[in-house]
C-alpha cells in the first residue's frame, strides 16, 4: 500500500512538467515526468495513454478531449412484450405457457377489480364513501406482477395497486370495509379509502405521502436478506413518485446494500394532471436504473404475460444474486386521478378512448383466451353477472355495518395514553354530546 501511495504522490504532487515528444513518434506519445530526489532533478519516461484513473468513485478511462455525455446515451429503451395488441404471442419462446386455470384466474381478477372500481366509484359519487381511486387500465400490471411472486414476499404499494392485494386473496368484504371505514376495517376506520393493508397477506398498509414506501422497502429488503429466507420485497410506485427525493434514497440504499428488491414503477402517463413530458427529461424511469447500478427493464404493462415474465425473472435473480431490479411498466391511467379530479381539464377524450378501446390489458388477455377457445360470449356474460353480484353483495353488507368506536381514534399510538391525548379525547366526547344532533352516534360501535 505504501509503495502504491508513494507512486501516486510521484505522479500527482511531484510533477513539474510533462513534455510531449511528438517528433519521436506521432502516434505513440512518449512523455517524461520530472521530479526531485534529494534536490536532484530526475526524469522518468511514461506513456500517458497507458495511465488509468485511480479515483475510488468510478470505473473509467481517461480521455484527452472535452465532451459532455449526451443525455440520450440512455434513451429509446425498448418495451418488452409477449403478446401483440390482438393477444397473439409474438415469439413462442417467450410464451410463459400458463395453464388455462391460471390464465382464467388472471382474467377474472382483472375484471373483478374493474367491477369493484366501478361500484365504489359510483358509491363515492352518491356520497356513500368519502373518496376513491380507480385502477382502470392498469389491471395487467397488478395481476401480472402479483402472480409472479410468492405469497410470502412482502409488498409495499402506493395506492393504485388494489389488484395485487385482490390477487393475494384479500376478500371483497375487507376492501369494502376499508372504504366504508366500518368495524370490520383492519385499519379501524382511521385511514382514507383505498389505504388498504393486510399483515396476513404481507401487504404493508398504504401511506398517502408519496414515495415514503420506497426507502421503507429498501430497509425491509435489507432485513429480509439478513434473515436469509428466500423472500423478496416488491415496491410499487408511480412515475410521479419517482421524482421524490425518497425514490433516490431508496434506489441507492437498495443498490449499495445489495437488497433482494423489485422496484416496480407503473408509468401511467400522469401524476394527477402533470403529463410525463413535464415530469422528467430522461427516457422514463428505466433509464435511471443504470445510474444506480441496477438491472432494469421496460415492459408493456398492458401485456399481463410480459409483466409476469419480467417480475418472475427479476424475483429469481434478486434472491439468487442479492440485488435490486427496476421494472418500468408502461401503461395508461384511464380513470381520473381520484374522485377529487376531473381529467377532462387536462387531456382529450380521444386520448383516453385510444387506451380504453385499442390498447387495454383486459381486452388483450381476452383475445388470447378466445383464440384458444377458453372463453366466449357465454362465459363472459355469466362471469360479468356473477362478479357484479359478488361486489354488490359485499357492498351492501359493508354499508350496513357499524362504524368503529370513536375512542379508537386515540389508541395504538402509545402503550399508555399520555395526558395530552386523554384531554383531547374528553374534549371530543364533550363536543359529540353537545352537538348530538349532528353526529349519528348510534351508527358507531358502543
Ligand atoms: C409528498 C406528496 N406530495 C404530493 C402529494 C399529492 N399527490 C398525490 S398522488 C400524486 C401524483 C402521483 O403520481 P404517480 O406517482 O404517477 O401515481 P399515479 O397517481 O399516476 O398512479 C400527487 C402529486 C402526495 N400525496 N404526497
Ligand atoms: Mg402516474
Amino acid at each position: 500500500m505504501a509503495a502504491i501511495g508513494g507512486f501516486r504522490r510521484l505522479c500527482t504532487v511531484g510533477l513539474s512538467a510533462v513534455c510531449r515528444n511528438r517528433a519521436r513518434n506521432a502516434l505513440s506519445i512518449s512523455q517524461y515526468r520530472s521530479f526531485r530526489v534529494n534536490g536532484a532533478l530526475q526524469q522518468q519516461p511514461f506513456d500517458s495513454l497507458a495511465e488509468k484513473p485511480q479515483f475510488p468513485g468510478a470505473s473509467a478511462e481517461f480521455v484527452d478531449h472535452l465532451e459532455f455525455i449526451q443525455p440520450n446515451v440512455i434513451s429509446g429503451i425498448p418495451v418488452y412484450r409477449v403478446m401483440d395488441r390482438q393477444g397473439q404471442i409474438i415469439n413462442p419462446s417467450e410464451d410463459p405457457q400458463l395453464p388455462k386455470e391460471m390464465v382464467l384466474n388472471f382474467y377474472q381478477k382483472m375484471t373483478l377489480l374493474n367491477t369493484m372500481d366501478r361500484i365504489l366509484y359510483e358509491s363515492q359519487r352518491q356520497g356513500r364513501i368519502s373518496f376513491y381511486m380507480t385502477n382502470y387500465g392498469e389491471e395487467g400490471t397488478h395481476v401480472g406482477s402479483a402472480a409472479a411472486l410468492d405469497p410470502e414476499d412482502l409488498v409495499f404499494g402506493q395506492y393504485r395497486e388494489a389488484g395485487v392485494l385482490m390477487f393475494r386473496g384479500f376478500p371483497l368484504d375487507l376492501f369494502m370495509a376499508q372504504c366504508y371505514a366500518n368495524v370490520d376495517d383492519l385499519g379501524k376506520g382511521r385511514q382514507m379509502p383505498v389505504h388498504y393493508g393486510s399483515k396476513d397477506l404481507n401487504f404493508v398498509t398504504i401511506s398517502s405521502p408519496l414515495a415514503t414506501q420506497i426507502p421503507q422497502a429498501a430497509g425491509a429488503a435489507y432485513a429480509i436478506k439478513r434473515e436469509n429466507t428466500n423472500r423478496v420485497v416488491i415496491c410499487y410506485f408511480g412515475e410521479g413518485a419517482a421524482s421524490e427525493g425518497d425514490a433516490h434514497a431508496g434506489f441507492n440504499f437498495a443498490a449499495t446494500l445489495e437488497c433482494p428488491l423489485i422496484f416496480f414503477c407503473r408509468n401511467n402517463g400522469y401524476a394527477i394532471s402533470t403529463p410525463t413530458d413535464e415530469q422528467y427529461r430522461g427516457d422514463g424511469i428505466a433509464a435511471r436504473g443504470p445510474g444506480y447500478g441496477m438491472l432494469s427493464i421496460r415492459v408493456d404493462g398492458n401485456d399481463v404475460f410480459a409483466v409476469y415474465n419480467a417480475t418472475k425473472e427479476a424475483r429469481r435473480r434478486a434472491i439468487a444474486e442479492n440485488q435490486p431490479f427496476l421494472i418500468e411498466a408502461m401503461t395508461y391511467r384511464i380513470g381520473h386521478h381520484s374522485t377529487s379530479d376531473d381529467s377532462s381539464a387536462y387531456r382529450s377524450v380521444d386520448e383516453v378512448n385510444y387506451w380504453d378501446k385499442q390498447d387495454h390489458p383486459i381486452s388483450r388477455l381476452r383475445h388470447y383466451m378466445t383464440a384458444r377457445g377458453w372463453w366466449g360470449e357465454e362465459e363472459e356474460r355469466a362471469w360479468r353477472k356473477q362478479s357484479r353480484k359478488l361486489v354488490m353483495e359485499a357492498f351492501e353488507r359493508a354499508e350496513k355495518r357499524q362504524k368503529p368506536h370513536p375512542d379508537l381514534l386515540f389508541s395504538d399510538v402509545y402503550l399508555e395514553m399520555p395526558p395530552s391525548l386523554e384531554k383531547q379525547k374528553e374534549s371530543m366526547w364533550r363536543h359529540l354530546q353537545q352537538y348530538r344532533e349532528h353526529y349519528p352516534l348510534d351508527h358507531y360501535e358502543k
Side-chain angles (χ1 to χ4, degrees):
M1 283 304 289
I4 294 171
F7 177 67
R8 277 209 195 136
R9 256 196 313 283
L10 209 70
C11 297
T12 54
V13 183
L15 293 185
S16 58
V18 173
C19 56
R20 292 188 168 191
N21 187 348
R22 290 175 197 274
R24 277 233 308 229
N25 188 336
L27 288 175
S28 132
I29 302 164
S30 285
Q31 301 171 331
Y32 291 86
R33 65 177 105 232
S34 312
F35 51 95
R36 289 185 185 278
V37 176
N38 297 332
L41 189 67
Q42 299 207 353
Q43 286 201 319
Q44 188 185 62
F46 78 102
D47 180 355
S48 63
L49 292 182
E51 280 192 331
K52 302 282 179 213
Q54 301 294 326
F55 311 114
S59 54
E61 296 293 321
F62 282 124
V63 290
D64 60 5
H65 54 278
L66 191 152
E67 189 182 346
F68 292 100
I69 298 167
Q70 296 290 328
N72 63 4
V73 162
I74 301 176
S75 77
I77 295 176
V79 183
Y80 167 70
R81 64 177 188 162
V82 173
M83 280 186 283
D84 66 14
R85 294 190 182 110
Q86 282 67 48
Q88 291 177 21
I89 299 290
I90 300 159
N91 174 357
S93 67
E94 292 297 311
D95 182 353
Q97 300 194 336
L98 302 178
K100 178 181 169 187
E101 294 65 41
M102 197 166 165
V103 175
L104 294 193
N105 182 38
F106 280 17
Y107 185 76
Q108 291 186 332
K109 288 293 182 318
M110 286 160 77
T111 45
L112 184 64
L113 173 64
N114 209 251
T115 305
M116 182 180 86
D117 273 352
R118 227 175 289 279
I119 287 168
L120 283 171
Y121 182 81
E122 287 306 322
S123 82
Q124 193 282 336
R125 285 292 181 250
Q126 294 165 6
R128 292 159 185 258
I129 60 174
S130 58
F131 175 84
Y132 195 66
M133 298 175 106
T134 63
N135 302 275
Y136 300 146
E138 302 186 40
E139 298 87 348
T141 64
H142 300 187
V143 168
S145 58
L149 300 171
D150 186 275
E152 290 301 311
D153 295 338
L154 187 61
V155 181
F156 284 80
Q158 183 155 308
Y159 46 66
R160 210 184 298 283
E161 294 92 9
V164 175
L165 194 52
M166 184 175 272
F167 194 88
R168 289 199 156 199
F170 201 61
L172 285 170
D173 282 307
L174 286 181
F175 279 110
M176 298 288 170
Q178 201 286 327
C179 290
Y180 270 91
N182 71 23
V183 281
D184 301 323
D185 174 23
L186 302 177
K188 304 185 187 175
R190 295 168 178 141
Q191 287 253 34
M192 280 172 76
V194 314
H195 290 60
Y196 312 112
S198 168
K199 204 170 176 202
D200 289 347
L201 297 177
N202 294 304
F203 191 100
V204 177
T205 305
I206 307 298
S207 314
S208 289
L210 285 177
T212 48
Q213 78 276 19
I214 302 178
Q216 290 167 6
Y222 187 55
I224 275 176
K225 168 178 148 175
R226 288 166 57 100
E227 283 170 0
N228 219 355
T229 46
N230 285 342
R231 292 165 77 201
V232 78
V233 172
I234 188 161
C235 177
Y236 293 90
F237 54 97
E239 87 296 335
S243 291
E244 285 284 346
D246 269 0
H248 166 80
F251 295 162
N252 207 40
F253 267 117
T256 52
L257 296 173
E258 298 169 350
C259 299
L261 171 52
I262 302 169
F263 289 114
F264 192 103
C265 176
R266 294 175 295 98
N267 190 337
N268 61 9
Y270 288 90
I272 313 188
S273 56
T274 309
T276 47
D277 61 7
E278 290 176 28
Q279 290 181 42
Y280 49 74
R281 284 289 167 275
D283 185 18
I285 310 306
R288 300 180 196 173
Y292 293 98
M294 273 196 286
L295 279 134
S296 310
I297 191 169
R298 171 173 285 158
V299 302
D300 183 340
N302 296 344
D303 176 345
V304 70
F305 295 147
V307 175
Y308 175 83
N309 283 354
T311 312
K312 202 159 180 68
E313 181 63 358
R315 180 186 189 276
R316 185 186 71 74
R317 290 190 59 183
I319 292 173
E321 300 164 19
N322 268 330
Q323 61 168 327
F325 282 72
L326 173 62
I327 298 175
E328 182 184 28
M330 307 307 291
T331 182
Y332 188 82
R333 194 199 78 209
I334 291 176
H336 303 297
H337 169 70
S338 72
T339 47
S340 312
D341 174 45
D342 172 8
S343 67
S344 68
Y346 54 84
R347 61 182 184 177
S348 71
V349 176
D350 286 348
E351 180 185 311
V352 179
N353 273 344
Y354 167 77
W355 295 99
D356 198 26
K357 307 278 179 259
Q358 297 186 41
D359 196 346
H360 200 288
I362 292 181
S363 50
R364 197 182 300 193
L365 186 59
R366 187 167 165 196
H367 287 314
Y368 174 90
M369 300 192 313
T370 308
R372 272 152 195 78
W374 293 352
W375 197 257
E377 281 302 326
E378 207 174 299
E379 286 86 354
E380 179 72 14
R381 220 173 302 117
W383 168 243
R384 289 281 168 180
K385 199 170 157 202
Q386 188 195 345
S387 56
R388 195 179 153 76
K389 186 164 174 277
L390 289 171
V391 176
M392 285 307 292
E393 284 171 0
F395 162 81
E396 280 161 17
R397 280 194 295 272
E399 205 167 32
K400 287 195 193 110
R401 300 284 286 147
Q402 285 193 309
K403 303 286 180 200
H405 194 289
D407 277 355
L408 290 173
L409 267 178
F410 299 92
S411 58
D412 295 341
V413 177
Y414 297 97
L415 187 59
E416 283 168 27
M417 197 178 296
S420 56
L421 276 193
E422 207 54 82
K423 238 169 102 182
Q424 285 184 33
K425 194 165 94 175
E426 284 159 18
S427 153
M428 176 191 80
W429 278 112
R430 270 199 308 280
H431 180 86
L432 294 180
Q433 298 303 334
Q434 189 173 350
Y435 301 102
R436 192 172 310 169
E437 67 278 19
H438 299 295
Y439 293 99
L441 284 182
D442 51 326
H443 293 181
Y444 286 76
E445 206 178 24
K446 296 274 176 314

